[in-house]
Amino acid sequence: MRQARRYARRDTRRLATVTAGALLALTASMGSATSAVAAGAAGGAGVADGPKMPDFRGRGLIHVFSGVDYRTKVEVRDVGGDHRNVLWPLSWKVCAQSPDEGKEIGDRTVRIGVVKNNEKCPKGASV
């Protein structure tokens, strides 16, 4: 029985990893087109300016992956207090982000604080 649970956990982790990888690959292919549209909508930003951070707060986590360049490293964590693993982006919404809206992303890591869709964001949530 113990061994069966161990194999089930391993298979669940493997499935979650494969699912997340497939989702990221899909959003990466959409991300470059979205970044180009966002850059054009920025109103003639200079060539030397890097991409600006959009405001993702209150939106679904999936918008983060499709809204930033696919090469940007994104760190996601549960800010609801339960320290849960974030495996399926469609089930989570953004409460906090770093860098703030309008700041240049550059080579920085984007940090996102999330809670489940049916939960309220905690006051003063930060990443």
Side-chain angles (χ1 to χ4, degrees), residues 81-98:
D82 294 332
H83 306 292
R84 297 167 288 197
N85 291 323
V86 180
L87 298 176
W88 186 244
L90 294 173
S91 300
W92 298 85
K93 68 179 176 182
V94 177
C95 291
Q97 67 182 48
S98 175

Side-chain angles (χ1 to χ4, degrees), residues 10-68:
R10 188 180 333 152
D11 289 342
T12 302
R13 281 189 223 129
R14 185 176 299 138
L15 177 63
T17 302
V18 169
T19 303
L23 182 64
L24 289 174
L26 176 65
T27 57
S29 64
M30 295 176 1
S32 58
T34 305
S35 296
V37 170
V47 175
D49 291 344
K52 304 288 186 206
M53 181 71 167
D55 186 13
F56 293 115
R57 288 178 294 241
R59 301 182 70 194
L61 179 57
I62 192 71
H63 295 286
V64 174
F65 292 111
S66 61
V68 297

Side-chain angles (χ1 to χ4, degrees), residues 75-117:
E75 289 181 4
V76 180
R77 73 180 191 107
D78 178 17
V79 294
D82 294 332
H83 306 292
R84 297 167 288 197
N85 291 323
V86 180
L87 298 176
W88 186 244
L90 294 173
S91 300
W92 298 85
K93 68 179 176 182
V94 177
C95 291
Q97 67 182 48
S98 175
D100 291 328
E101 174 188 10
K103 301 279 184 178
E104 187 174 330
I105 295 173
D107 292 338
R108 287 196 270 178
T109 299
V110 172
R111 290 178 177 77
I112 303 293
V114 296
V115 294
K116 288 285 209 174
N117 283 334

